[in-house]
Amino acid sequence: MTRRVVLDTTVLVSAFRSAHGASRRLLGLVADRLLIPLATTALFLEYEAVLKRPEQRAVSGLGEEQIDAALASLAGLIEPVDVRFTWRPQLLDPNDEMVLDAAINGHAEALVTHNVADFEAASERFGLSVVRPGRLWKEMQT
């Protein structure tokens, strides 16, 4: 079963930093088209900015060209989301608002993040499933 999800930047960072975690496995499901990632332009640009930070590149061992290639592949698999309406502010961290915007406007089945607590109030308000990568990975295995 294919699921439409929004991947928080924390999930991409984890996937790039470790080849063995659930976040990396989820990117494999994206490549297999079992997960359809949804993203706005703003969210995708955040992915790029964060993944290219020197401290992130040092841990991942990837150069900017390699990150560009990986992001180009990901871009080809993403379903773009237009933000037609925002409900800001909903979250304590204003940087998380664009992730929530993508999930709500894209009618995501789930928002995948390592920071579930950051989205807790909004998940209840909007009936949005907010899950950690490990939980979604397990769900996708059944």
Side-chain angles (χ1 to χ4, degrees):
M1 165 175 44
T2 302
R3 294 185 67 184
R4 298 170 73 248
V5 300
V6 170
L7 302 174
D8 186 13
T9 308
T10 61
V11 175
L12 282 211
V13 167
S14 292
F16 275 66
R17 291 174 72 115
S18 172
H20 305 291
S23 295
R24 179 67 71 90
R25 290 186 192 118
L26 292 182
L27 288 186
L29 294 179
V30 168
D32 293 340
R33 301 304 284 162
L34 295 171
L35 287 178
I36 306 298
L38 310 172
T40 62
T41 301
L43 180 56
F44 192 83
L45 290 173
E46 179 180 83
Y47 292 164
E48 179 182 34
V50 171
L51 291 171
K52 286 186 174 181
R53 289 179 184 162
E55 64 272 17
Q56 297 298 341
R57 287 187 296 115
V59 174
S60 72
L62 299 174
E64 287 193 19
E65 299 81 19
Q66 292 167 302
I67 293 169
D68 285 340
L71 288 172
S73 294
L74 180 61
L77 299 169
I78 283 178
E79 182 179 310
V81 174
D82 290 325
V83 176
R84 300 192 189 285
F85 191 80
T86 64
W87 291 266
R88 296 179 186 201
Q90 294 292 322
L91 306 170
L92 294 176
D93 183 351
N95 293 326
D96 287 335
E97 296 285 353
M98 75 175 88
V99 180
L100 182 63
D101 285 344
I104 294 170
N105 283 277
H107 306 286
E109 293 174 53
L111 188 158
V112 188
T113 182
H114 288 285
N115 302 320
V116 171
D118 292 355
F119 294 94
E120 193 169 59
S123 71
E124 293 171 12
R125 190 172 301 123
F126 294 101
L128 178 64
S129 175
V130 178
V131 298
R132 287 184 176 84
R135 179 173 157 212
L136 181 58
W137 171 254
K138 287 178 185 172
E139 288 176 10
M140 296 296 293
Q141 299 310 298
T142 59

